[in-house]
Amino acid sequence: MDLYDITIIGGGPTGLFGSFYAGLRGLKVKVIDVLPELGGQLTALYPEKYVYDVAGHPKILAKDLAKNLATQASLFKPTIVLGEKVLDLKKGEDGNWQIVTDQADNHYSKTVLLALGAGACVPKKLDADYPRELEGECIFYAVKNKERFRGKNVLIIGGGDSAVDWANEFSVLANKVTLIHRRDGFRAVQTSVEEMKRNKVDVKTFYELKEIKTTDKSVEEAIIFDNRTGKEETLKVDAIVINIGFVINLDFLKSWGLKMDVNAISVNEMMETSLPGVYAAGDIAAHTAKLKLIATGAAEAATAVNFAVTFINPSAKAFPGHSSNLNLSI
């Protein structure tokens, strides 16, 4: 049996920094992720979007941040397992954990760090009739190449960070950008909303999508309506970006016996879950002082790893000292 000190489930920013920090603490590390590449949502959903709230980077493209995190994590040569969905977590008679995926049941670990982001989620879809083969061609739920929108007439649907950020990005790239939102309150960062209102974006609040008119291979028009009056308007569009959130399914976590706080895992100040030796960090973790940021996810991962060290070896110190004081050969 190949036994690891810590197995990190999730290869997004929190999991990758946790992998690096665990290597820094001298642990034998494995990372398991369902996606075919590391980076989590940074690479899967918004690789071309700038991230502004990471220490040391005034701004950085999400895909570049993911690349840097993966490079940092690789310094201690963790075992990386991609394309496997974790199904079950079982505690053995020896006190170690067996992690079962859809492809293997031979992942064994002394401790586990759950860094699942928002969980197993898929984009919410609008109840609109259109050929599904247009998804990824001219109807999008994520933007992986913003150059595809250059010179286009783009309709963005949503009122959160992703919708507002893409409206700002496309305002200098596309021919015309229209953003519709079903109410007048936005869930995005206020400075981004203010920027959008200054930019070349036609913002229509209290508007929703009624119908998409298409040809065999493209979108031609979108019919929108004012949900207060029912008044309709037809827009000429080449591309539609739908950013209305995600459907999250965390039933598999509940079946493991974890204490949950709505759609997150309850943790204490040491990032411990209700299962001994199992920790959680990042967006999936819930505690009273929670802030869902990449920066705080990294801090939570470091906290979890340090206390995992003391779980494995009770005589070890939770705080190892500063990295600048350590004798490292990396």
Side-chain angles (χ1 to χ4, degrees):
M1 180 177 71
D2 196 3
L3 181 64
Y4 286 78
D5 293 316
I6 188 167
T7 295
I8 299 172
I9 301 175
T14 297
L16 288 174
F17 187 78
S19 175
F20 163 75
Y21 201 91
L24 202 65
R25 291 290 329 243
L27 301 184
K28 183 180 179 182
V29 183
K30 177 180 281 187
V31 178
I32 303 174
D33 196 279
V34 67
L35 297 174
E37 60 182 333
L38 293 170
Q41 292 187 15
L42 294 177
T43 51
L45 295 183
Y46 50 91
E48 295 278 353
K49 196 167 80 171
Y50 280 107
V51 178
Y52 297 92
D53 54 359
V54 177
H57 295 285
K59 70 175 184 178
I60 183 171
L61 281 174
K63 64 181 180 182
D64 292 336
L65 177 59
K67 182 179 178 180
N68 289 351
L69 286 162
T71 299
Q72 184 183 40
S74 70
L75 291 172
F76 295 103
K77 297 179 172 58
T79 297
I80 304 293
V81 179
L82 297 175
E84 290 194 21
K85 181 180 180 180
V86 173
L87 301 176
D88 202 1
L89 186 64
K90 302 177 180 179
K91 191 170 186 180
E93 294 181 0
D94 58 1
N96 296 317
W97 291 97
Q98 179 187 14
I99 300 147
V100 180
T101 73
D102 57 353
Q103 297 183 36
D105 61 0
N106 60 346
H107 303 293
Y108 298 96
S109 193
K110 297 176 184 177
T111 62
V112 176
L113 171 57
L114 302 173
L116 299 165
C121 55
V122 295
K124 288 182 180 178
K125 297 187 178 184
L126 292 172
D127 185 18
D129 186 21
Y130 62 87
R132 294 300 163 177
E133 57 266 25
L134 295 183
E135 293 180 334
E137 295 297 327
C138 50
I139 298 175
F140 304 87
Y141 299 94
V143 177
K144 296 190 176 183
N145 180 4
K146 63 185 180 183
E147 283 297 319
R148 296 185 67 167
F149 299 85
R150 184 175 292 279
K152 301 289 182 66
N153 296 320
V154 183
L155 171 63
I156 300 174
I157 304 171
D161 285 311
S162 291
V164 171
D165 287 348
W166 284 126
N168 287 327
E169 288 279 343
F170 293 156
S171 68
V172 295
L173 189 73
N175 178 56
K176 182 179 180 181
V177 180
T178 303
L179 181 142
I180 63 172
H181 184 38
R182 62 183 178 177
R183 50 181 173 263
D184 62 351
F186 290 89
R187 303 184 309 278
V189 174
Q190 185 60 32
T191 54
S192 298
V193 175
E194 292 170 358
E195 179 186 354
M196 177 180 66
K197 292 178 179 179
R198 293 192 302 268
N199 284 337
K200 191 180 174 182
V201 179
D202 186 8
V203 180
K204 293 180 177 292
T205 54
F206 297 107
Y207 270 82
E208 299 181 45
L209 179 71
K210 179 179 181 180
E211 184 180 348
I212 300 173
K213 292 189 176 182
T214 67
T215 63
D216 290 339
K217 296 183 178 180
S218 65
V219 170
E220 290 192 334
E221 294 178 336
I223 299 175
I224 61 175
F225 68 96
D226 187 321
N227 58 28
R228 299 164 298 180
T229 65
K231 178 184 176 182
E232 295 183 3
E233 185 175 340
T234 300
L235 305 176
K236 295 288 186 182
V237 294
D238 304 304
I240 299 176
V241 179
I242 303 170
N243 289 148
I244 57 173
F246 297 89
V247 177
I248 301 173
N249 185 349
L250 296 177
D251 290 344
F252 69 104
L253 292 178
K254 297 174 185 177
S255 70
W256 297 354
L258 288 161
K259 181 182 178 182
M260 305 294 294
D261 182 353
V262 191
N263 283 327
I265 302 168
S266 296
V267 297
N268 61 17
E269 67 276 9
M270 295 179 285
M271 298 297 119
E272 293 175 317
T273 71
S274 56
L275 301 178
V278 179
Y279 303 79
D283 287 356
I284 198 66
H287 53 80
T288 54
K290 185 68 185 181
L291 292 173
K292 291 189 176 184
L293 298 170
I294 292 175
T296 53
E300 290 176 355
T303 298
V305 166
N306 279 324
F307 285 102
V309 169
T310 65
F311 182 88
I312 295 168
N313 179 10
S315 65
K317 293 182 179 180
F319 179 56
H322 299 101
S323 60
S324 57
N325 297 329
L326 300 178
N327 183 19
L328 302 172
S329 57
I330 58 176

